[in-house]
Amino acid sequence: MHSALDTPAAAAAHFTGLAATGERSLSSALTEVTLDDGRVVMVKRADDDRAARAEAAGLCWLADAGTVRVPRVHGHDARWLVTDRVATGRPGAEAAERFGRDLAALHAAGALAFGAPPPGGPEDAYIGRAPMRNTTGPDWPAWYAAHRVLPYVRLAVDDGTLSPAEAAVFERVCDRLPELAGPAEPPARLHGDLWNGNVLWGADGHVRLIDPAAHGGHRETDLAMLQLFGCPHLDRVLDGYRRHTPLADGWTARVGVHQLFPLLVHAVLFGRGYAEQALTTARAVLRQ
């Protein structure tokens, strides 16, 4: 669907039903738009129609769980996504523990299958600017290998970021995933791109999550990504999580398994440094 809206202000006015009185560009893709009632909304320019659709569907799916808070989606089309702006404050220990509890409840809300897209979301979606295919499978180790590890290994080999010999390291990890994955768990409702930049500490003491790559997956993947890229008061987040829903025995030893997905995505997007980090992680996993 082609968008007839040619500016962020026009998109904001269209999807909120209110006149726009000002714009402030934050980046080439993101603009704050002030409405005539004084509220401010965020207008994001999408790379294509699937990107806006996937992000909107993901936010709505996370919101439907009634757990972790997300910005309200006002609307989207092929070019634009309009959401509420989050008024941010300072990270705090109490908010972190609450976030952990809410994240555990979000995961427990579940998904239809591993790889299931949010209702209304496309199968061919994105994580950041990288493609991410949401196709389902009944078994997490086989699904994770086929749709969250090996596709990015192939992309990295194709662009010269990984050599074929290095790719074989990840293939060996995938062969061993049935023994490395730990106890079987039901599909969790994942944010899917849960690095610190997508965790907004609200001025009201509640965390909001933005920019999801939402899908049905393993709950430890979200937690591993939080640990990979850092999160304020992470120990309190994990304490809150485990008080709500205990993690399976041995989960700390599986962090590297789950970090392969975001590391390989970053290798595809940003190059050799992340490829080397992914290789180091994969080799450590194989030594277990």
Side-chain angles (χ1 to χ4, degrees), residues 2 11 18 22 27 49 62 66 86 116 128 139 157 165 179 193 204-205 235-236 265-266 274:
H2 176 71
L18 298 169
S27 70
D49 60 342
L62 300 183
V86 176
D139 173 74
V157 170
E179 66 179 274
D193 191 8
D204 61 358
D235 56 339
R236 298 294 294 270
V265 169
H266 278 67
Y274 283 107

Side-chain angles (χ1 to χ4, degrees), residues 49-51 53-55 57 117-118 120-126 132-134:
D49 60 342
R50 286 183 290 112
R53 178 182 163 203
E55 186 169 339
E123 286 190 3
D124 290 312
Y126 291 91
M132 185 184 80
R133 184 160 177 76
N134 286 327

Side-chain angles (χ1 to χ4, degrees), residues 151-206:
Y152 302 98
V153 171
R154 289 191 287 268
L155 287 170
V157 170
D158 289 346
D159 66 19
T161 305
L162 286 172
S163 71
E166 290 170 334
V169 176
F170 299 100
E171 292 166 359
R172 290 198 295 274
V173 172
C174 289
D175 289 342
R176 288 187 55 195
L177 276 175
E179 66 179 274
L180 294 169
E185 296 209 1
R189 188 170 304 196
L190 295 193
H191 176 279
D193 191 8
L194 197 57
W195 72 287
N196 183 49
N198 289 338
V199 178
L200 301 185
W201 299 82
D204 61 358
H206 291 274

Side-chain angles (χ1 to χ4, degrees), residues 25-232:
S25 178
L26 303 180
S27 70
S28 61
L30 198 62
T31 302
E32 288 183 348
V33 176
T34 303
L35 305 174
D36 66 0
D37 66 353
R39 286 183 297 156
V40 179
V41 293
M42 306 301 296
V43 182
K44 187 173 184 178
R45 185 193 302 271
D47 291 331
D48 64 33
D49 60 342
R50 286 183 290 112
R53 178 182 163 203
E55 186 169 339
L59 287 169
C60 291
W61 191 46
L62 300 183
D64 285 347
T67 57
V68 180
R69 302 185 182 197
V70 300
R72 175 188 172 191
V73 176
H74 290 279
H76 71 94
D77 64 8
R79 187 178 182 188
W80 306 104
L81 171 67
V82 180
T83 66
D84 279 344
R85 184 190 65 170
V86 176
T88 56
R90 294 177 59 83
E94 184 177 341
E97 189 157 341
R98 183 186 302 114
F99 170 43
R101 294 195 304 268
D102 290 346
L103 183 62
L106 172 67
H107 290 163
L112 292 176
F114 295 113
E123 286 190 3
D124 290 312
Y126 291 91
I127 177 166
R129 293 184 289 105
M132 185 184 80
R133 184 160 177 76
N134 286 327
T135 188
T136 62
D139 173 74
W140 184 80
W143 170 83
Y144 185 68
H147 302 292
R148 292 297 182 268
V149 176
L150 295 178
Y152 302 98
V153 171
R154 289 191 287 268
L155 287 170
V157 170
D158 289 346
D159 66 19
T161 305
L162 286 172
S163 71
E166 290 170 334
V169 176
F170 299 100
E171 292 166 359
R172 290 198 295 274
V173 172
C174 289
D175 289 342
R176 288 187 55 195
L177 276 175
E179 66 179 274
L180 294 169
E185 296 209 1
R189 188 170 304 196
L190 295 193
H191 176 279
D193 191 8
L194 197 57
W195 72 287
N196 183 49
N198 289 338
V199 178
L200 301 185
W201 299 82
D204 61 358
H206 291 274
V207 163
R208 268 76 165 181
L209 301 183
I210 61 171
D211 295 348
H215 62 278
H218 196 300
R219 61 194 180 121
E220 291 175 14
T221 304
D222 268 354
L223 298 178
M225 194 176 293
L226 274 180
Q227 294 173 79
L228 177 62
F229 296 112
C231 177

